[in-house]
Amino acid sequence: MKNRIAALAGALAAATFISAASNAATLDSVRERGFINCGVGENFPGFFAPDSAGKWSGLDVDFCRALSAAIFKDPEKVKYLPATPAARFAQLQSSQVDLLSRSVTWNLSRDAGLGLSFAGVTFFDGQGFMVRKSLNAKSAKDLDGATVCTQTGTTTELNLADYFRANNLKYTPVVFETTDQVIAAYEAQRCDVYTTDKSTLAARIGKMKEPGAHVILPETISKAANGPVVRQNDGQWENIARWVLNALIAAEELGITAANVDQQKASNKDPEVRRMLGADGELGKLLGLDKEWAYNVVKAVGNYGEIYDRNLGPKGVVPIPRDGLNRLWSKGGLMFSPSFQ
Ligand SMILES: N[C@@H](CCC(=O)N[C@@H](CS)C(=O)NCC(=O)O)C(=O)O
């Protein structure tokens, strides 16, 4: 506990120092450098993972590719820098990366306590529990007295404590720094339960040594709004990240895809589409970008729905049905973009 308080105090001190010391124009340094430093995690297929040639892909990776297209007209001007969940905020605060795009859950203490700003939500998730079937647990309420493996520096750890406390259940946490360590410990039966965001559980269950021996319990114990995060000291960069995400969502709402964006730009008469794609007006200027920034985003990576399908759709590496909060607002979900006016 003492260590954790010291770590939080350190992080807060670092954040204060950064806000006071610089009003960094991140866009300028990114342009000068010629690429974005995108903070990701080590390996989370469907969201961020390198292949054997070191090429990164995933939903969170596609967000950095979209940002790169908005700035450089090229989605590949990105360097991916992995860090563990415990190390990621210091990585951003100390400017080793320009943003984190890697399943970071938005909460008050991160938003207001670490000198950071969340640009929006790329994936709505929630925490769950995986157990061996032989444990015979049908519900999280059956886990009284369990040992639970989880990852340090995460909201997972905090939600776990909250849930067991709220339900008057006892547990013993077994905590590791990386996902691979957590899974190895769970597979070696050092704990009864593996807990993290349900998307990760879904991604991992099929890759266990004996996939059929495990089950994900029905409860979802948290609201995890995960999205890109930037430092709080640079409003322009924050706006760019926010509006690149909005452009991805708005493009899906408006039926604009990578395949039809040229035709939409040339012939769609809808004033919002024309402003967004740079056929009319100068919205890009307000972000420090050129007229065609959003056109370049959609042309390079597609809209939010296309990104979702590529990574998490039936043919993606980790199929996660898009049947809940991650749908567009018009289809009963929470994905919504303010207007391009
Ligand atoms: N979303 C939670 C959990 C984050 C988390 O545990 N992320 C895992 C995957 S869900 C991760 O980054 N794993 C890759 C790694 O260990 O580098 C948070 O923001 O605290």
Side-chain angles (χ1 to χ4, degrees), residues 251-291:
E252 185 180 8
E253 290 180 21
L254 295 162
I256 304 168
T257 64
N260 73 17
V261 67
D262 282 302
Q263 179 220 328
Q264 293 268 4
K265 183 165 175 263
S267 55
N268 195 324
K269 301 218 161 36
D270 179 341
E272 176 149 37
V273 171
R274 297 186 61 76
R275 282 191 299 267
M276 184 171 118
L277 298 180
D280 285 341
E282 290 284 355
L283 284 182
K285 241 188 210 165
L286 300 174
L287 297 170
L289 300 175
D290 72 21
K291 258 170 101 98

Side-chain angles (χ1 to χ4, degrees), residues 109-130:
S109 51
R110 289 174 177 177
D111 201 354
L114 296 179
L116 307 177
S117 283
F118 284 78
V121 179
T122 46
F123 192 84
F124 290 94
D125 212 329
Q127 187 172 334
F129 298 103
M130 187 193 297

